[in-house]
Amino acid sequence: MTDTTSNAPADTARASELGAVARFLKATELDTRMLGMVGALLVIWIGIHILSGGLFLTPRNLWNLSVQTSSVAIMATGMVLVIVMRNIDLSVGSVEGVLGMIMGVAQAEFLIRVIGFQLGNPWLWIIALAAGVVLGLLIGAFQGFVIAYLEVPAFIVTLGGLLVWRGMAWLITNGRTVAPLDAAFQLMGGGPRGSIGATASWIIGAVACAAVAFALLNGRSQRKRFNFPLRPVWAETFLGVVACAAILCAVWIANSYPWPIGIVRQYAQQNGIAIPENGLFIAHGIAIPVLMAVAVGIVMTFITKRTRFGRYVFAIGGNPEAANLAGINTRWVTMKVFMIMGVLAAISAAISSARLNASTNALGTLDELLVIAAAVIGGTSLAGGSGTVLGAMLGALLMQSLQSGMVLLGIDSPLQSIVVGAVLVVAVWLDTVYRKRV
């Protein structure tokens, strides 16, 4: 006869531990899928850091990683809305490419040679960026109109857009690369001057921590007002401390990556900028494209969670027929979602081309894969109705971490594509398993 009492203490302890974890998750209201993604990200970082001989988790690499992630993260926030509505946008990479080319031609050739602007004119980058954003809005509106009002499937429309806009990018300059770009425009890509410096970075970090505290206190007061269950004080404190610690750690890492003065002088000479003669390094701080991505993330989070439009998007994704019967103009909402996607593609195009200091025909190639993968890995369901902006941005960071890590490890480009594709398939499979268990 088997002795079943010998394992009783171990089973009791295990059940107690599981109960403690469940109580912790319930008190803090943390999303288990988000925690899983953060855990996977940390495992990837630590694994690559060990395999690369300590090269990955350095201020220099993490700073560059944040800049590289910015453009994909911005488009991923819009892809969340597209996928939530049970659509897909395969054209974002090509739209990014054609808009980047248009902005490059506008500031480097059209405004100077045709309109007569002088080099260094402060309106160059403003007009170029505005033109890109407006054209991105129009491209999104056109594709959204065909999808919503002509009832052509989004897959077909955006697949056609992938080919059309990539061809348009080539036709604009007959395959020629446009460079250099305006010095002020280049700031959106990071680089020696594309950051805000150490002092401003700490100020922004402090403001962000104050915003976290305000958000927690305001959320608690709103729960009291409507008699909703309150989180324990210790849980609120824990969330605030962890969030502030993450913010301040990110600022410290950004400020720990200084640029050698020689690189800065070379950049200044090329762009006619005066810099101090003394000092060996210039403190870098948070990159401007990272701040742009954070700002977009905040705005998109507000749109999805605090506006009627955001609620309509999730309602349509959850049940299109019911949303239509409830009086929601599903066609107009669909068109607006693709218009937002076009604007975000323009912002990403500005960041990517500014970072390269050139508009090339390869700009945005295969970015549609990374953007869709980032949204799906971040918890956006392909079945529609669920997804978060924060999750998509973390998914973009995870995808870029994989790519950056594989470059550090010397893995060939074909194998990198295999890994990215495999991760996307696994992410969709995990989403399917999760939905079946919920």
Side-chain angles (χ1 to χ4, degrees):
M1 182 175 179
T2 305
D3 185 7
T4 58
T5 59
S6 59
N7 293 328
D11 292 340
T12 302
R14 189 178 300 109
S16 178
E17 291 176 1
L18 293 175
V21 171
R23 288 193 298 271
F24 172 80
L25 293 175
K26 182 178 180 180
T28 56
E29 298 179 359
L30 290 172
D31 186 353
T32 54
R33 298 178 72 179
M34 196 76 69
L35 287 177
M37 186 164 52
V38 172
L41 183 63
L42 292 177
V43 169
I44 291 172
W45 281 8
I46 295 172
I48 296 176
H49 184 70
I50 294 173
L51 294 175
S52 64
L55 296 177
F56 190 82
L57 293 178
T58 60
R60 176 180 181 179
N61 188 68
L62 291 177
W63 190 92
N64 287 322
L65 178 63
S66 67
V67 174
Q68 293 163 2
T69 305
S70 298
S71 61
V72 173
I74 287 173
M75 289 191 289
T77 63
M79 189 60 70
V80 170
L81 300 182
V82 174
I83 297 178
V84 161
M85 292 189 66
R86 306 186 184 187
N87 289 312
I88 198 72
D89 192 344
L90 301 175
S91 67
V92 289
S94 297
V95 172
E96 178 188 3
V98 71
L99 293 177
M101 185 61 73
I102 289 171
M103 286 187 281
V105 170
Q107 62 190 289
E109 297 180 1
F110 180 77
L111 292 175
I112 294 176
R113 298 177 184 177
V114 179
I115 305 300
F117 279 69
Q118 297 296 319
L119 288 173
N121 189 305
W123 284 100
L124 280 175
W125 74 273
I126 296 175
I127 295 175
L129 180 61
V133 170
V134 171
L135 288 173
L137 181 71
L138 293 176
I139 290 174
F142 172 73
Q143 294 191 152
F145 176 82
V146 175
I147 293 166
Y149 289 92
L150 302 185
E151 299 182 354
V152 181
F155 181 89
I156 299 300
V157 173
T158 57
L159 179 60
L162 182 150
L163 301 174
V164 169
W165 305 122
R166 182 61 62 189
M168 288 293 295
W170 191 92
L171 286 175
I172 290 172
T173 60
N174 291 323
R176 179 171 48 87
T177 296
V178 178
L181 304 183
D182 181 69
F185 187 86
Q186 292 178 42
L187 299 181
M188 289 186 288
R193 291 183 62 243
S195 62
I196 61 175
T199 302
S201 297
W202 284 118
I203 292 174
I204 286 182
V207 171
C209 289
V212 168
F214 173 78
L216 290 173
L217 292 174
N218 182 64
R220 192 172 184 85
S221 65
Q222 291 296 321
R223 287 172 178 244
K224 287 182 178 179
R225 178 183 175 187
F226 295 104
N227 295 320
F228 288 167
L230 298 177
R231 281 191 294 241
V233 175
W234 69 263
E236 301 270 11
T237 305
F238 172 81
L239 293 174
V241 169
V242 170
C244 290
I247 292 169
L248 296 178
C249 181
V251 173
W252 176 78
I253 291 172
N255 288 336
S256 298
Y257 175 34
W259 282 82
I261 192 67
I263 295 178
V264 180
R265 283 177 180 156
Q266 181 181 4
Y267 176 88
Q269 290 174 358
Q270 293 174 350
N271 294 277
I273 302 169
I275 61 170
E277 292 295 331
N278 57 341
L280 298 176
F281 298 96
I282 290 182
H284 213 64
I286 303 174
I288 290 176
V290 176
L291 291 177
M292 293 173 65
V294 171
V296 169
I298 292 172
V299 172
M300 292 298 291
T301 299
F302 177 81
I303 289 174
T304 55
K305 292 188 174 182
R306 301 292 182 181
T307 65
R308 182 183 300 174
F309 168 75
R311 291 192 292 271
Y312 285 173
V313 168
F314 281 85
I316 294 171
N319 192 326
E321 293 79 11
N324 195 31
L325 292 174
I328 298 175
N329 190 342
T330 56
R331 292 182 174 182
W332 176 230
V333 172
T334 300
M335 187 171 171
K336 285 196 289 187
V337 165
F338 280 92
M339 291 166 67
I340 291 173
M341 191 71 251
V343 170
L344 296 177
I347 297 173
S348 295
I351 291 175
S352 299
S353 57
R355 185 165 171 265
L356 296 173
N357 189 22
S359 295
T360 69
N361 287 281
L363 186 70
T365 301
L366 294 182
D367 273 7
E368 56 274 356
L369 170 63
L370 297 177
V371 171
I372 295 171
V376 173
I377 290 173
T380 304
S381 175
L382 290 172
S386 65
T388 62
V389 170
L390 177 59
M393 298 185 78
L394 286 176
L397 180 59
L398 190 149
M399 295 298 297
Q400 193 60 53
S401 297
L402 279 175
Q403 283 205 319
S404 177
M406 288 188 288
V407 170
L408 283 178
L409 297 177
I411 297 176
D412 293 335
S413 180
L415 187 56
Q416 293 181 30
S417 299
I418 292 173
V419 172
V420 172
V423 169
L424 177 59
V425 173
V426 171
V428 175
W429 172 68
L430 291 176
D431 173 70
T432 304
V433 172
Y434 180 85
R435 289 178 63 85
K436 287 181 178 179
R437 291 183 176 182
V438 173

